[in-house]
Amino acid sequence: MNKKLLCTLIALICLALVSTGCWDRIEVEQLAIVRSIAIDYLPGRKAPYLVTLAISLPSDIAGGEGGGGGEPTQLFSGVGATINLALEQANFNLSRRLFLSHAELFIVSEELGRHGLTHVLDFIVRHPQVRLNAFLLVTPGMAQKCLTAPERLEAGVTEEIIGMIHQAQTSPESDPQQAFKFLRQMASPGQDPYISILMLSDPLTTVIPELKDELKPGGQEESSGGGSGESGGSGGGGGGEEQEQVLTLVGQAAFQDDKLVGLMNGVETRGFLWFMGRTERAVITVSDPEDPDGIVSTHVARVETTIKPQIKNGQVSFTVQVEEEGDIRSVSSQTNLATTEMIPKINSAKAAVIKHEMEKALRKMQELKTDLVGFGAILNRKDPDMFRQLQENWSEEFSKLTVDIVVISEIRRTGQQSGPVQQHR
Amino acid sequence: MLEKGKISPRQMGELLAMIMISTAILFVPSFTVKLLGQDAWLAILLGAGFGVVTLYFVYQLGERHHGQTIFQYAEHLLGKWLGKLVGLIYIWTFLRVVAIVIREFGAFMTTSFMPNTPLSVFTFSIVLLSAWAVMAGLEVIARMNEFLILLVVTSLVAVLALSMGNWDLGSLQPLFAADLLLLLETATIPEIWKVDTITIAVIMPFITRPKRVLIAGTVATLSAGALLAIGIIGTLAIFGPQLLPTFRFPLIMFVRTINIAQILSRFEVVVMVVWVAGAFLKTTYFLYCASLGFAQITGLKEYRPVVFPLGVIATVWSFSLFENIADLEKAISTPSLRSYFIYLGLPVFLLLVTIVREKFFGVSFGGEEKYE
């Protein structure tokens, strides 16, 4: 009897000890949920890392009311000699504990990229909360400024950028990388990593003076300005306010190990994406073979790229074969293109345009000595012994590499219209 | 008899598979890939094959000493004191496994999920729970495992299947580039070599159809090896052989990359479930083997009184065995002469003594007639 009572008592005491929960428990209301992290590098200072956190309020996420209760995203910054120190400093201004598990975005400045990303990558991997499938982006100028851009279609700036990333993944503007893919490329021999560029660019109203003049006289008449057909221009229409810069995701930064060595613009990036077979939905224009003023726009529906190494007398070269299929999207002239004679002509013109684009990208990569395509890695898989000889200075080898580009291009369909737009003369 | 319960060969196979899968998913991928690059999965398969070799010798021993555990027949074969010494070596081995597993458990939980929680919280709770389960006996452990293994295997298969969208099998090329000697040596590191089959020497008398032990054990070992090899192939296909070894727990990093349609993501919990269930079962099972052995060599009528003391010893040992996580990793990733001796040399030696004494001295070690 007595023994049983004792056992029960001991069990109860043990239960009381466990019921307090675990050490690392914390309630949602006490967390500052970080959605994106912008990291700037300020050279010449003792505390060079400027870290800016975009923090979402959990009530806004749950309620979904968005603009109802003030700003959906708040920015907090801190500087420090390391990212962790900067985070600690940012914490001084915070009423809640930082929570990084939902950080989906790391934006680093070009300056930091040129300094080297080792510290940032180590932080991402080592921290118990940060996730490896967060996206990495590079921005020219201050990374912090990207987070201050206004959200336009989504609830917060992070969602806005994430949306742009998903958009970019299915279109040929750039190839946004998750952190683990970047790490993997960086670690693989014969392969250099790259990160997409996010930048703030001026809206069309400042680029095109006519449009600006049109909008100036009456702030209220902006609806008529939008109705004139300039759908791109109406994006800047924020009423009478100063035009805000808009976020743009295009192009990519080439890295050698963890250091940024050069930026590739949109055209070069598209050329690069041909090597990856990732250019579906691209628009390619060729001039009308009959009428030099006419422009034919074609839409890419399917791409397949195969890269094969060839070794002859100890010399390595590569053959890149691109097979592309698409249809005609618009024609600005009166020529009937849907004939068996015309289509092969467009096909060969299109193939030439693609090849030119790819060569441009290749030249740029060779100039920067960055093997973003991973020619070395492909060689390593096919012939590891050969690659081992070249591995030591592969970037030098790559800059002198001969790459044969063969493009096979086909037009399959001509859209809903079979002939040209009919006019009676 | 100290143990009155009986388990079927299938339950035994499930037990074996479970204790092999559970610990091997955490530390193993990292150091195997560090040693062998993209051919790491070969070492895992080879290690499973070596496990079957150990199983074969242990099975032969069990067949010849029907109804006896290794602690009993070692005494019959080698005399009282030498036999007890052999028994002590195995008790020491099993307790060491318990100590390592609970330390790994604690290290994993504190590194990946709860960095501020003291290590001892995890260690104490798992040892308490395990000791409680050991008290219930082998049959209960085996039945509990029937449920847990279902959970563990389905979770692992699900996680692997969900990640397939990110796989790039090109990172497995070039195939068979590793040095053969290094491959063989790596396969004999105890965490890769499936030495858990040695425990069959302890539980064989409690299996209903001993004839089927060999086949059930082989199937269990090879399928556990295959699952682990696929796991390594998956992690390799995502991270590649250069990046993977830089991670402490590649599987956690692996599930963190899963994100299907922005909805199916954050599967760390699944890994935690697998690991908590696996570590718990492995601790329980090895603590059981050690307790039973201790009771048998000291001639106790019950093994239950020694469970808690042995648990305490293992707990203290788990703290003192390693200074930090680097120490732990080094200890489990280097092959040692000791493991060759315990997992291969000693069983082979015992088997030789048995055969010699049966053949040349006509001694009968009990065997079939006793129980058939």
Side-chain angles (χ1 to χ4, degrees):
Chain A
M1 257 325 254
N2 233 345
K3 205 174 170 189
K4 219 172 182 180
L5 194 72
L6 197 72
C7 282
T8 323
L9 273 176
I10 291 174
L12 274 177
I13 292 168
C14 287
L15 267 180
L17 282 176
V18 201
S19 62
T20 54
C22 48
W23 266 251
D24 295 288
R25 165 200 59 99
I26 186 159
E27 304 298 330
V28 166
E29 299 87 65
Q30 299 169 313
L31 290 178
I33 297 173
V34 178
R35 297 287 286 137
S36 35
I37 301 177
I39 307 171
D40 281 299
Y41 186 75
L42 313 166
R45 292 174 58 123
K46 264 192 181 159
Y49 288 97
L50 167 62
V51 177
T52 307
L53 310 162
I55 293 174
S56 298
L57 296 172
S59 57
D60 286 343
I61 297 169
E65 285 166 34
E71 292 289 312
T73 319
Q74 290 289 335
L75 297 186
F76 289 86
S77 300
V79 285
T82 68
I83 295 173
N84 296 74
L85 282 172
L87 282 179
E88 198 182 36
Q89 206 195 52
N91 224 342
F92 295 157
N93 311 339
L94 276 160
S95 54
R96 298 176 178 195
R97 189 193 289 182
L98 282 177
F99 187 64
L100 302 181
S101 271
H102 291 265
E104 290 186 48
L105 211 55
F106 280 81
I107 304 171
V108 297
S109 65
E110 190 189 336
E111 189 72 50
L112 176 56
R114 293 201 188 270
H115 171 74
L117 286 186
T118 300
H119 180 44
V120 178
L121 295 169
D122 187 273
F123 173 81
I124 292 174
V125 176
R126 213 180 282 269
H127 198 287
Q129 287 173 354
V130 178
R131 308 173 60 81
L132 277 182
N133 58 357
F135 283 96
L136 286 176
L137 293 172
V138 164
T139 183
M142 293 287 280
Q144 186 185 25
K145 276 206 81 181
C146 286
L147 293 181
T148 60
E151 55 274 356
R152 298 165 85 187
L153 293 179
E154 312 295 335
V157 68
T158 311
E159 282 71 26
E160 189 85 23
I161 299 172
I162 296 280
M164 290 167 75
I165 287 172
H166 289 308
Q167 236 5 72
Q169 279 173 334
T170 55
S171 57
E173 44 202 71
S174 74
D175 184 20
Q177 296 263 52
Q178 287 168 323
F180 75 91
K181 290 201 175 140
F182 180 85
L183 279 163
R184 185 188 160 162
Q185 289 172 347
M186 198 171 86
S188 310
Q191 160 97 61
D192 289 308
Y194 53 91
I195 299 182
S196 296
I197 298 174
L198 176 78
M199 55 182 163
L200 282 170
S201 55
D202 295 326
L204 276 184
T205 38
T206 56
V207 181
I208 304 170
E210 294 92 322
L211 192 58
K212 205 175 176 183
D213 296 338
E214 187 90 355
L215 284 173
K216 231 175 200 170
Q220 304 98 315
E221 284 178 48
E222 61 169 306
S223 56
S224 65
S228 68
E230 298 282 30
S231 59
S234 68
E241 298 167 28
E242 192 68 22
Q243 318 92 336
E244 277 163 321
Q245 291 191 306
V246 283
L247 287 168
T248 318
L249 185 70
V250 71
Q252 65 186 15
F255 281 72
Q256 228 168 39
D257 293 329
D258 70 323
K259 285 190 177 55
L260 191 154
V261 290
L263 304 181
M264 291 166 75
N265 62 25
V267 180
E268 288 158 349
T269 305
R270 197 168 88 168
F272 160 76
L273 289 173
W274 282 110
F275 286 96
M276 315 298 280
R278 253 224 48 209
T279 41
E280 271 132 34
R281 285 168 228 226
V283 175
I284 299 168
T285 53
V286 295
S287 56
D288 184 342
E290 299 275 285
D291 173 8
D293 289 336
I295 296 176
V296 181
S297 303
T298 63
H299 174 257
V300 178
R302 198 180 65 83
V303 190
E304 212 173 292
T305 307
T306 40
I307 304 176
K308 285 206 184 99
Q310 278 164 342
I311 300 156
K312 263 186 207 150
N313 321 323
Q315 277 291 324
V316 182
S317 66
F318 284 84
T319 315
V320 180
Q321 184 173 326
V322 178
E323 282 174 60
E324 183 264 350
E325 254 182 51
D327 36 3
I328 294 175
R329 273 294 155 93
S330 75
V331 181
S332 68
S333 60
Q334 282 286 314
T335 322
N336 182 10
L337 296 168
T339 61
T340 44
E341 293 84 45
M342 289 303 278
I343 286 181
K345 282 184 188 168
I346 297 175
N347 284 345
S348 56
K350 190 162 72 152
V353 171
I354 295 170
K355 191 175 174 183
H356 179 69
E357 223 168 62
M358 290 173 76
E359 276 168 348
K360 214 178 202 175
L362 184 69
R363 219 174 302 130
K364 178 79 178 184
M365 287 189 281
Q366 289 188 325
E367 223 170 80
L368 298 170
K369 293 181 182 168
T370 51
D371 183 3
L372 306 185
V373 180
F375 285 108
I378 291 165
L379 179 64
N380 188 22
R381 285 172 191 176
K382 284 273 140 49
D383 190 346
D385 295 326
M386 185 74 203
F387 181 69
R388 214 164 295 141
Q389 294 169 20
L390 304 172
Q391 195 175 353
E392 273 301 293
N393 45 1
W394 175 250
S395 53
E396 286 298 323
E397 292 288 334
F398 170 72
S399 63
K400 292 176 291 188
L401 203 63
T402 22
V403 179
D404 293 319
I405 299 171
V406 182
V407 183
I408 301 165
S409 187
E410 300 281 359
I411 292 281
R412 293 287 182 215
R413 282 158 290 274
T414 57
Q416 308 262 38
Q417 182 115 331
S418 59
V421 178
Q422 284 302 315
Q423 305 170 344
H424 72 91
R425 287 269 153 84
Chain B
M1 284 289 269
L2 287 166
E3 172 63 55
K4 291 185 188 66
K6 284 267 182 185
I7 63 172
S8 69
R10 186 176 54 84
Q11 286 173 320
M12 178 216 78
E14 286 169 353
L15 266 176
L16 269 186
M18 181 74 164
I19 57 177
M20 285 168 187
I21 294 167
S22 57
T23 45
I25 57 168
L26 282 183
F27 286 89
V28 169
S30 186
F31 70 76
T32 336
V33 174
K34 196 180 286 170
L35 288 168
L36 291 172
Q38 67 276 22
D39 286 334
W41 57 279
L42 277 173
I44 304 291
L45 288 182
L46 217 68
F50 289 171
V52 175
V53 173
T54 306
L55 177 72
Y56 177 76
F57 290 122
V58 167
Y59 168 75
Q60 287 295 332
L61 272 171
E63 268 273 281
R64 278 155 215 269
H65 303 274
H66 206 273
Q68 290 185 340
T69 67
I70 193 167
F71 306 106
Q72 291 168 316
Y73 57 68
E75 248 174 88
H76 283 197
L77 283 174
L78 306 172
K80 202 174 172 194
W81 296 110
L82 220 55
K84 280 194 197 305
L85 182 71
V86 170
L88 268 178
I89 290 177
Y90 280 107
I91 292 167
W92 179 84
T93 311
F94 296 152
L95 267 189
R96 192 167 184 273
V97 172
V98 174
I100 292 179
V101 171
I102 55 185
R103 181 60 184 264
E104 283 179 345
F105 174 73
F108 169 69
M109 292 299 277
T110 45
T111 308
S112 298
F113 297 106
M114 305 176 185
N116 294 336
T117 309
L119 189 68
S120 47
V121 173
F122 300 110
T123 317
F124 289 152
S125 49
I126 195 168
V127 170
L128 260 178
L129 192 63
S130 292
W132 188 34
V134 171
M135 295 287 200
L138 182 63
E139 200 172 331
V140 175
I141 301 174
R143 276 162 194 258
M144 176 174 65
N145 181 53
E146 279 185 277
F147 164 69
L148 287 180
I149 196 166
L150 207 68
L151 197 73
V152 163
V153 171
T154 40
S155 315
L156 276 180
V157 170
V159 163
L160 282 171
L162 284 172
S163 71
M164 274 185 178
N166 281 334
W167 284 24
D168 169 18
L169 286 176
S171 36
L172 293 178
Q173 287 173 321
L175 281 175
F176 312 120
D179 183 32
L180 190 67
L181 254 168
L182 183 66
L183 183 69
L184 285 174
E185 196 192 22
T186 312
T188 59
I189 294 171
E191 287 260 326
I192 300 173
W193 182 9
K194 299 287 165 250
V195 291
D196 310 279
T197 46
I198 195 87
T199 55
I200 296 304
V202 180
I203 63 164
M204 197 153 152
F206 317 124
I207 296 167
T208 48
R209 276 166 296 164
K211 290 268 178 225
R212 307 213 36 201
V213 165
L214 188 61
I215 188 89
T218 308
V219 169
T221 312
L222 293 184
S223 35
L227 185 62
L228 292 171
I230 295 171
I232 291 218
I233 289 174
T235 29
L236 268 172
I238 285 200
F239 297 124
Q242 287 82 25
L243 178 61
L244 195 149
T246 62
F247 298 141
R248 178 72 67 200
F249 303 115
L251 203 77
I252 280 287
M253 294 301 184
F254 176 75
V255 297
R256 281 187 174 170
T257 62
I258 299 175
N259 190 351
I260 293 172
Q262 299 290 297
I263 300 166
L264 290 174
S265 63
R266 292 168 211 276
F267 282 97
E268 291 102 306
V269 179
V270 174
V271 178
M272 185 145 79
V273 166
V274 169
W275 177 234
V276 171
F280 163 60
L281 209 104
K282 193 162 184 174
T283 317
T284 308
Y285 182 67
F286 276 89
L287 191 58
Y288 171 82
C289 290
S291 308
L292 192 80
F294 194 80
Q296 278 183 338
I297 66 166
T298 50
L300 295 176
K301 286 202 181 63
E302 268 281 343
Y303 71 85
R304 288 177 177 82
V306 299
V307 174
F308 270 104
L310 287 182
V312 171
I313 293 174
T315 312
V316 176
W317 204 2
S318 80
F319 290 126
S320 63
L321 211 48
F322 315 108
E323 282 287 318
N324 50 40
I325 199 159
D327 230 12
L328 171 64
E329 194 173 346
K330 185 170 176 246
I332 59 176
S333 65
T334 35
S336 67
L337 271 181
R338 188 179 60 221
S339 59
Y340 294 119
F341 173 68
I342 292 173
Y343 301 119
L344 197 64
L346 215 47
V348 170
F349 173 67
L350 288 178
L351 188 60
L352 279 178
V353 173
T354 311
I355 292 169
V356 166
R357 286 187 66 176
E358 269 180 346
K359 276 259 165 69
F360 299 101
F361 299 92
V363 187
S364 166
F365 292 102
E368 311 286 319
E369 68 271 23
K370 222 169 167 182
Y371 277 86
E372 287 299 312

